[in-house]
Amino acid sequence: MYEKSKQLFERAQKSIPGGVNSPVRAFKSVGGTPLFMQKAKGAYLYDADGNQYIDYIASWGPMILGHAYEPVVKAIQEKALGSTSFGAPTELEIEMAELIISMVPNVDLIRMVSSGTEACMSAIRLARGYTGRNKIIKFEGHYHGHADSFLVKAGSGVATFNIQTVPGVTAGVANDTLTAAYNDLEAVKKIAAEHKREIAAIIVEPVAGNMGCILPQPGFHEGLRKLCDEEGIIFIFDEVMTGFRLAPGGAQEHLGIKADLVTYGKVIGGGMPVGAFGGKKEIMQHIAPLGNVYQAGTLSGNPIAMIAGYTMLTELKNNPSIYKELEEKTIYLRDGLNEVLKVWGQSYVINQLGSMISVHFSDHPVIDFASAASANNERFKKYFHAMLNRGVYLPPSAFESWFLNNALTKEDLDKTIQATKESLTNI
Ligand SMILES: *Cc1c(COP(=O)(O)O)cnc(C)c1O
């Protein structure tokens, strides 16, 4: 069934570290061979062996309207004819910035980069440059890309592979990253009190998605916002995952919280490598060439990446009902999974918000990294493979959120629920 993928994986390992260009793709924690994809359309992926899968990864978020979404593909094709890069400004970059500013709250100025990692590392540099302080607070199990400062108690692949300390990150850098448990406001207050006037920023995934989907508890973000105001700390919402996914204005809009700086990635590029960071002019004006906090990129604002993102965001802005549809589909899936899981007799937890959802095989609520890590993740591995064999492509780790895309039909969701029902007998 997976013969071609197996052959490709053998071959890939000879020229690419671990056979993959990003660790979470490797299936290392769930075992088996990563599937090599050939094409995708709408909600379906097709691997090298021609197998079809219902996709719940959506390229880790960007494919919110389904794969090969026609307006985006057409726009890329047309744009490419006029050159794929200039290294000089274009009107399209202004249109992109204006479009984003019209959609998201609390952003006066926005700088485009090429990945979520770049967006987050630039945002903390800016926060440090603006405040003149060195330390940041992040949360256990949160992932903000692979820049040195963030690889302390990080989520996503770092959690999946259980990497405690990352060789190559200096102690000096790691010491400037302080960590607290997600949803533990008291712990954050304590750190802030112990490091008065040393903390430049608190960076948070507003709805955590890199340790499964974990929701903010009531009052958590409000408390962080208040603390940041009192202590002169920059409050950074890492919306790489939630931006343009939970609402046109992202988690800021969905949760009604104002951030000082916001980072974007994933959906913002419509499947092309795009990231961005933005915020109030007061802070953003410290970025070069306006200010001295240096940040740059040869391919930043690349025309192909911009037209893909611009077209995608325009669709989302013009059709806000997409968010309602996505949420309804996700709730339908959640309720359907609940129906089959509750008669199974084993413990489980489903966390869901908007079009983000995940299943943890746990007998306690999953509200932070410790509770996510203590779930029965061996069982998740079996579930993952049982689903894959039934044509459902879930993230290959319990430490990842599933992402729904709007090309999914009720029939796809019913198939997924049925596949879960069948899978439960052998996990
Ligand atoms: C994916 C992700 C990043 C990193 O983005 P890349 O484009 O992979 O560098 C940062 N923050 C969050 C919340 C993410 O989910």
Side-chain angles (χ1 to χ4, degrees):
M1 184 178 182
Y2 307 125
E3 272 321 300
K4 283 234 171 73
S5 280
K6 280 184 183 153
Q7 285 166 16
L8 289 170
F9 189 47
E10 283 297 312
R11 188 174 143 208
Q13 289 175 87
K14 294 187 180 127
S15 56
I16 302 169
V20 292
N21 278 316
S22 196
V24 292
R25 298 175 196 167
F27 279 28
K28 204 174 152 194
S29 79
V30 287
T33 305
L35 301 184
F36 282 67
M37 294 303 165
Q38 198 157 50
K39 61 176 185 185
K41 180 72 190 159
Y44 310 120
L45 294 167
Y46 301 87
D47 71 9
D49 291 280
N51 301 310
Q52 179 187 301
Y53 304 90
I54 304 173
D55 182 19
Y56 287 96
I57 299 187
S59 186
W60 304 94
M63 298 299 156
I64 190 166
L65 299 179
H67 289 271
Y69 188 67
E70 226 160 85
V72 173
V73 173
K74 280 214 173 105
I76 291 172
Q77 285 172 329
E78 271 170 34
K79 202 71 190 169
L81 296 171
S83 184
T84 53
S85 185
F86 306 108
T90 59
E91 186 175 0
L92 177 57
E93 290 164 87
I94 313 172
E95 286 168 346
M96 181 69 163
E98 288 172 349
L99 177 62
I100 296 168
I101 290 167
S102 76
M103 292 174 77
V104 305
N106 307 308
V107 171
D108 301 328
L109 293 173
I110 185 141
R111 170 64 58 83
M112 305 307 300
V113 294
S114 302
S115 71
T117 296
E118 261 190 275
C120 294
M121 74 180 205
S122 306
I124 59 159
R125 182 182 306 136
L126 174 57
R128 285 169 165 157
Y130 176 76
T131 58
R133 304 172 179 182
N134 290 340
K135 295 195 185 297
I136 61 162
I137 298 177
K138 75 174 278 292
F139 295 93
E140 290 164 18
H142 285 209
Y143 183 70
H144 306 292
H146 67 89
D148 288 359
S149 299
F150 303 127
L151 294 180
V152 180
K153 299 198 178 161
S156 187
V158 187
T160 301
F161 302 136
N162 194 18
I163 300 172
Q164 299 293 335
T165 50
V166 177
V169 175
T170 65
V173 169
N175 286 340
D176 279 335
T177 300
L178 308 169
T179 60
Y182 185 50
N183 283 318
D184 188 348
L185 184 59
E186 289 313 310
V188 183
K189 283 184 181 165
K190 191 157 169 276
I191 295 171
E194 284 165 2
H195 296 274
K196 241 182 158 33
R197 282 181 289 281
E198 286 183 86
I199 296 162
I202 295 176
I203 184 165
V204 64
E205 286 184 46
V207 177
N210 284 292
M211 44 183 177
C213 171
I214 302 186
L215 276 53
Q217 300 299 298
F220 179 63
H221 288 309
E222 288 80 359
L224 293 179
R225 176 67 272 175
K226 187 160 169 279
L227 180 69
C228 287
D229 288 339
E230 288 165 1
E231 300 292 334
I233 297 169
I234 303 297
F235 192 26
I236 305 175
F237 254 28
D238 177 355
E239 297 232 37
V240 170
M241 199 175 262
T242 53
F244 311 102
R245 172 160 287 278
L246 293 182
Q252 284 198 94
E253 178 186 333
H254 196 95
L255 304 173
I257 301 288
K258 288 187 169 128
D260 298 316
L261 288 177
V262 197
T263 60
Y264 296 102
K266 300 193 168 114
V267 176
I268 200 174
M272 295 297 285
V274 180
F277 63 102
K280 289 281 173 225
K281 189 170 175 211
E282 155 80 10
I283 304 172
M284 287 299 289
Q285 68 188 0
H286 291 264
I287 278 288
L290 266 182
N292 288 340
V293 179
Y294 199 72
Q295 185 281 325
T298 300
L299 292 175
S300 295
N302 170 274
I304 309 304
M306 289 300 99
I307 200 65
Y310 182 82
T311 309
M312 174 72 92
L313 298 190
T314 303
E315 297 280 314
L316 295 173
K317 183 182 178 181
N318 293 343
N319 306 295
S321 62
I322 287 169
Y323 291 97
K324 201 163 168 282
E325 289 162 28
L326 272 167
E327 181 165 39
E328 281 167 6
K329 288 177 190 182
T330 314
I331 288 172
Y332 182 84
L333 177 65
R334 182 196 68 191
D335 292 348
L337 291 175
N338 258 324
E339 285 300 309
V340 298
L341 280 158
K342 77 180 180 208
V343 295
W344 173 45
Q346 306 287 341
S347 48
Y348 71 95
V349 170
I350 302 179
N351 287 343
Q352 176 265 330
L353 190 74
S355 54
M356 293 167 67
I357 182 169
S358 63
V359 176
H360 296 264
F361 296 107
S362 170
D363 58 9
H364 46 260
V366 175
I367 57 158
D368 57 14
F369 183 69
S371 45
S374 62
N376 186 342
N377 293 328
E378 287 304 311
R379 181 165 275 158
F380 181 86
K381 292 175 194 178
K382 291 184 191 152
Y383 176 56
F384 168 82
H385 281 292
M387 294 296 277
L388 194 66
N389 291 337
R390 289 171 176 80
V392 180
Y393 193 74
L394 301 176
S397 165
F399 295 112
E400 304 286 356
S401 178
W402 313 1
F403 300 108
L404 269 69
N405 70 76
N406 211 29
L408 287 161
T409 61
K410 190 169 164 291
E411 205 188 346
D412 297 326
L413 301 172
D414 284 333
K415 275 190 194 156
T416 307
I417 295 160
Q418 177 61 24
T420 292
K421 191 174 175 185
E422 291 168 19
S423 297
L424 294 179
T425 58
N426 48 15
I427 67 166

